[in-house]
Amino acid sequence: MKKILFLMAMFVSVGIMAQKPYKVFCELLGTGKLMSNKVSVTIDFGQETSFWTGASKQYMVDDQGKQIKFNSMVDAMNYMGKLGWEFEQAYVVTTNNQNVYHWLLSKYVTQDESAREGFNTKQSFEEHQSKSEIDEQPVPDNKKKRSRKVRDELYD
């Protein structure tokens, strides 16, 4: 009887640990640069952005925090495709005689954190940098450590 209960508990725990994959989305927004054939690409996960900076810190950066520049939207899609993202839909919105390309991508994940694996945005890079700077700050030592000598007249 104990063996049966043990086996049932193992199967239930394995079922709880294995999560069902679900689909997450992101949007690539590309704008052409003036006097260049390169494209500025920002990425939108639906993440919270600052009121003051808006989407200005949502472009992709390398390990040093330098902006990744793409030759075209297809170049950006190839980059995302290597990370497991799949193309869903694309459309163009023209604002002030400038085309803004919107490409919707999707990916199956089991955790929200795995959606952002393989790349950083400027905002997430700066947050990570500031967090690591706080973690690396040395704890100040007291320069003068006082030792207290307790005098006990009964036992001296």
Side-chain angles (χ1 to χ4, degrees), residues 83-99:
L83 299 173
W85 290 91
E86 295 181 8
F87 177 79
E88 292 284 333
Q89 180 182 1
Y91 59 95
V92 178
V93 176
T94 304
T95 308
N96 297 330
N97 292 329
Q98 184 175 13
N99 291 335

Side-chain angles (χ1 to χ4, degrees), residues 6-135:
F6 176 74
L7 289 174
M8 288 176 59
M10 282 186 53
F11 286 122
V12 169
S13 65
V14 170
I16 291 171
M17 290 172 26
Q19 294 179 345
K20 184 178 179 183
Y22 57 95
K23 196 181 232 185
V24 293
F25 295 90
C26 76
E27 183 178 37
L28 296 181
L29 291 113
T31 54
K33 291 186 172 189
L34 189 63
M35 305 295 284
S36 174
N37 58 354
K38 301 275 185 185
V39 177
S40 260
V41 176
T42 59
I43 189 162
D44 181 10
F45 287 103
Q47 71 273 21
E48 183 177 349
T49 57
S50 167
F51 175 76
W52 302 107
T53 59
S56 66
K57 291 189 176 185
Q58 300 308 318
Y59 56 86
M60 288 184 268
V61 296
D62 59 15
D63 293 337
Q64 287 76 37
K66 190 173 180 180
Q67 183 176 6
I68 299 172
K69 297 181 181 176
F70 296 101
N71 295 321
S72 66
M73 287 301 289
V74 174
D75 187 23
M77 181 61 223
N78 287 334
Y79 181 84
M80 296 298 285
K82 289 177 186 174
L83 299 173
W85 290 91
E86 295 181 8
F87 177 79
E88 292 284 333
Q89 180 182 1
Y91 59 95
V92 178
V93 176
T94 304
T95 308
N96 297 330
N97 292 329
Q98 184 175 13
N99 291 335
V100 180
Y101 303 95
H102 297 256
W103 287 36
L104 187 63
L105 312 177
S106 67
K107 180 180 183 178
Y108 282 96
V109 297
T110 56
Q111 303 177 43
D112 287 338
E113 292 82 28
S114 61
R116 297 179 188 202
E117 283 180 359
F119 63 90
N120 278 326
T121 61
K122 183 66 174 178
Q123 180 179 359
S124 65
F125 179 80
E126 288 176 354
E127 288 171 359
H128 180 67
Q129 288 294 99
S130 64
K131 181 182 175 191
S132 63
E133 286 174 5
I134 291 170
D135 291 343

